[in-house]
Amino acid sequence: MRSSQFCCFLLIGCLVSQIYASSDAIFYESFDESFEGSWIVSEKEEYSGEWKHSKSEGHDDYGLLVSDKARKYAIVKELEKPVELKDGTIVLQFEVRLQNGLECGGAYLKYLRPQEAGWTAKGFDNESPYSIMFGPDKCGATNKVHFILKHKNPKSGEYVEHHLKFPPSVPSDKLTHVYTAILKPDNEVIILVDGEEKKKANFLSSEDFEPALIPEKTIPDPDDKKPEDWDERAQIPDPEAKKPEDWDEDAPMEILDEEAEKPEGWLEDEPEEVDDPEAVKPEDWDDEEDGEWESPKIENPKCESAPGCGEWRRPLKRNPAYKGKWHAPLIDNPAYKGIWKPQEIPNPDYFELEKPNFEPIAAIGIEIWTMQDGILFDNILIASDEKTAAEIRDTTWKPKFKVEEEKQKAEEPSGGLDGLKGIQKTVFDVLYKIADVPFLAGHKDKVLELIEKAETQPNITIGVIISIVVVIFSVLLKLLFGGKKATPKVNVVAEKKEEASASAEAAPAAEGEEEEKSEDAAAAPRRRTRREA
């Protein structure tokens, strides 16, 4: 049954490759045949990784395989003629299967400019000029489906990389996934993962690309300087305030509690520890070499039923007369002018743009450095029609994905604690989607770091979920209440300084007590003293 399914998929793939060799498929590579002679491997010395024509695990479908760990790889396919991106819709699509997962590495494609830009197929490397870079990349806090447009500034002539903001995350499993970028004539770009829209953006919007394709109309004047008399202090100490006469700056924060009484039954003459009566000096003990033998200590059994043993000392309590160092309260600064900013001037590099100045695509390259092997590329497509890309997804990717998904479900334990693995996968998929929510953009790296840590340590999953909920709640509070509230006219800074100063003053008074506590912590068998009872 299953073998007949594979044969069916293979037959469909062959039919698709023939059907779309014409029509709206500008370029289509199924890797049904060996890539040798068609794709050119870089001859640069650093790219030592070996590419292989290999079957996808569990399928009769072939792809282009990254075969070794911790290597650099570079390979390129020159197109018959350059593909123009300026007119009409262009769809970029390809499949990737991370058969051994992806802890650190890329699995993206580079859509290269014509060789007149200064590169050769055999010399293909990370400096080879591209028009678009698209695909998954994951390492540490980085977890994104890249979309980078390398755009020529019409004024300076410089090529600048413009990164899509808040790109979707890379699926965390080992199944085949298909990545699609749709470039539309209205300046929109739509990113799909497995045929599902994950991101929609506008090339000319500063909210969607960093840096923006169109520069700001004005910029801060680099020659403008802050006047010497410019006062940025919103509040100042009240110059008319005076320290009250009864303000004692020398009073300590804590004092001895004179009302405290020694608990009844406190054995002041009994030590907390006594010699172990059952201890025996070892036969091989040599007083000359080992020193005088001393019996090990044990807890004094007489102290077990008593409230405490040893010298009793009065505990400390907060000093009601404590006020700390006096500081004048803050008042609004009458000379306050606000935070100084340089004046805005017209941006000499500003230009207007109706459409991006796309460079044509003359070749498709894969140039990556990855710590994992088993990365399989397949069904690389450039089309002028969304329907073509959708049909190829349905006939090539979807059947494989369903088989892999069913196999994964069958291998997952169905019950008990092990059954949590399937649930955890679902949880992680949801968490990665949450990380893509735009209002969490400022915290995305931290959220992704937490998720990836939980993936490697499943026992902390619940803690990670709680941490992410706290982050979301904090951001929502900030959005709802506008961040920091206005500071009331109270001497908050002074109070903090008073606390710190008083703590330093009280340290000598509590020194003996702290020493006793540290000694108790160091000697594990000892029972903690209850002198403060």
Side-chain angles (χ1 to χ4, degrees):
M1 179 76 177
R2 186 156 293 191
S3 60
S4 62
Q5 264 187 328
F6 291 148
C7 292
C8 183
F9 296 155
L10 187 59
L11 179 60
I12 290 172
C14 293
L15 288 172
V16 168
S17 63
Q18 302 220 348
I19 291 171
Y20 295 110
S22 55
S23 71
D24 295 315
I26 300 170
F27 170 80
Y28 179 62
E29 174 62 84
S30 66
F31 294 106
D32 291 337
E33 304 295 332
S34 174
F35 65 88
E36 295 180 6
S38 175
W39 289 71
I40 300 171
V41 178
S42 174
E43 295 181 355
K44 287 288 190 76
E45 185 177 353
E46 64 262 36
Y47 297 100
S48 58
E50 182 182 357
W51 295 97
K52 290 185 178 179
H53 184 237
S54 178
K55 288 182 181 180
S56 179
E57 185 179 333
H59 302 291
D60 286 332
D61 184 40
Y62 281 86
L64 183 63
L65 179 70
V66 170
S67 62
D68 298 313
K69 298 179 181 180
R71 298 287 177 87
K72 285 186 176 183
Y73 292 81
I75 193 169
V76 67
K77 168 70 177 181
E78 298 180 70
L79 306 183
E80 291 183 4
K81 62 178 182 179
V83 177
E84 294 291 340
L85 305 178
K86 295 181 180 180
D87 300 316
T89 295
I90 290 292
V91 182
L92 310 175
Q93 181 171 284
F94 66 100
E95 295 174 15
V96 169
R97 186 177 184 189
L98 309 173
Q99 298 178 118
N100 296 323
L102 185 63
E103 293 178 9
C104 189
Y108 42 77
L109 303 189
K110 291 183 176 181
Y111 298 87
L112 301 162
R113 290 158 50 196
Q115 292 191 12
E116 290 77 14
W119 68 279
T120 62
K122 292 184 178 180
F124 174 50
D125 60 14
N126 66 323
E127 298 295 330
S128 298
Y130 63 86
S131 178
I132 290 172
M133 189 173 105
F134 173 53
D137 186 22
K138 186 176 179 183
C139 192
T142 299
N143 184 332
K144 65 180 73 174
V145 179
H146 274 299
F147 186 92
I148 304 173
L149 171 66
K150 207 160 190 180
H151 187 261
K152 184 178 180 180
N153 183 310
K155 275 205 165 184
S156 66
E158 179 187 3
Y159 284 89
V160 179
E161 288 185 355
H162 300 274
H163 293 246
L164 178 66
K165 289 184 178 180
F166 319 125
S169 299
V170 182
S172 59
D173 53 44
K174 299 178 183 180
L175 310 182
T176 302
H177 294 282
V178 57
Y179 300 89
T180 309
I182 305 170
L183 286 65
K184 302 178 77 69
D186 61 357
N187 297 329
E188 267 193 346
V189 57
I190 302 172
I191 307 298
L192 312 180
V193 178
D194 296 343
E196 180 182 344
E197 182 179 311
K198 296 292 185 180
K199 178 73 177 180
K200 181 184 285 186
N202 190 296
F203 281 111
L204 303 186
S205 171
S206 61
E207 295 182 359
D208 292 332
F209 281 86
E210 177 65 36
L213 270 72
I214 302 176
E216 297 289 340
K217 285 187 177 181
T218 62
I219 59 171
D221 183 356
D223 297 324
D224 195 10
K225 295 181 179 180
K226 183 172 72 173
E228 292 183 2
D229 61 347
W230 191 281
D231 197 336
E232 293 184 336
R233 298 174 299 163
Q235 292 186 315
I236 58 172
D238 185 354
E240 297 181 1
K242 295 182 179 179
K243 184 175 73 171
E245 292 182 2
D246 62 346
W247 192 289
D248 185 359
E249 292 186 341
D250 298 324
M253 183 187 292
E254 291 182 316
I255 58 174
L256 292 175
D257 185 357
E258 298 296 339
E259 297 179 359
E261 295 181 358
K262 182 171 67 174
E264 186 177 348
W266 188 283
L267 304 178
E268 196 160 7
D269 296 329
E270 288 289 340
E272 294 178 42
E273 291 184 338
V274 295
D275 292 342
D276 184 354
E278 297 181 1
V280 179
K281 179 179 178 181
E283 293 181 0
D284 59 349
W285 188 277
D286 188 329
D287 288 343
E288 292 184 0
E289 291 185 6
D290 302 325
E292 184 180 353
W293 181 81
E294 294 180 0
S295 173
K297 301 288 184 181
I298 62 169
E299 290 185 10
N300 189 340
K302 295 180 180 180
C303 298
E304 291 181 5
S305 58
C309 291
E311 182 185 357
W312 180 80
R313 295 178 183 176
R314 295 184 184 278
L316 295 174
K317 69 174 185 178
R318 186 171 180 82
N319 184 1
Y322 170 74
K323 292 185 179 181
K325 188 171 179 60
W326 182 85
H327 295 274
L330 298 177
I331 61 170
D332 290 338
N333 183 2
Y336 177 64
K337 294 184 178 181
I339 302 300
W340 182 85
K341 294 180 180 178
Q343 64 178 345
E344 295 284 317
I345 61 172
N347 184 358
D349 295 325
Y350 173 76
F351 58 84
E352 294 184 353
L353 201 64
E354 292 185 2
K355 292 181 71 66
N357 184 26
F358 291 113
E359 295 286 341
I361 296 172
I364 297 174
I366 306 174
E367 187 274 319
I368 56 177
W369 184 6
T370 179
M371 294 297 106
Q372 272 68 49
D373 57 357
I375 301 173
L376 192 78
F377 295 88
D378 201 3
N379 295 313
I380 300 174
L381 170 73
I382 300 177
S384 57
D385 179 68
E386 294 178 52
K387 185 179 178 182
T388 301
E391 289 176 348
I392 289 184
R393 282 197 305 270
D394 290 342
T395 52
T396 63
W397 166 75
K398 188 170 286 186
K400 287 189 293 187
F401 182 78
K402 285 185 176 179
V403 170
E404 293 164 8
E405 196 173 37
E406 288 175 7
K407 183 181 178 184
Q408 179 178 265
K409 288 179 181 178
E411 290 175 350
E412 287 177 354
S414 57
L417 293 174
D418 291 338
L420 289 174
K421 292 181 179 177
I423 298 172
Q424 284 175 335
K425 179 189 177 300
T426 304
V427 169
F428 288 126
D429 288 343
V430 172
L431 290 176
Y432 276 119
K433 289 180 181 178
I434 291 173
D436 289 329
V437 175
F439 80 82
L440 287 176
H443 305 273
K444 183 173 181 178
D445 288 347
K446 183 62 179 176
V447 172
L448 289 174
E449 183 180 342
L450 286 170
I451 296 171
E452 289 171 3
K453 187 175 182 180
E455 279 188 299
T456 58
Q457 302 177 52
N459 58 307
I460 66 170
T461 301
I462 300 299
V464 166
I465 293 173
I466 294 171
S467 300
I468 293 172
V469 169
V470 170
V471 170
I472 294 172
F473 187 68
S474 302
V475 174
L476 285 174
L477 283 178
K478 192 171 183 180
L479 291 173
L480 289 172
F481 299 105
K484 297 179 179 178
K485 296 183 179 179
T487 305
K489 296 179 183 179
V490 294
N491 201 357
V492 176
V493 176
E495 288 182 5
K496 289 184 178 178
K497 289 182 178 179
E498 291 165 11
E499 294 283 341
S501 175
S503 296
E505 292 170 5
E511 184 176 350
E513 178 183 318
E514 292 300 322
E515 286 178 359
E516 290 164 7
K517 289 182 180 178
S518 62
E519 287 172 5
D520 290 341
R526 291 181 61 179
R527 186 167 62 92
R528 185 175 177 178
T529 179
R530 287 183 281 175
R531 290 173 185 162
E532 299 174 5

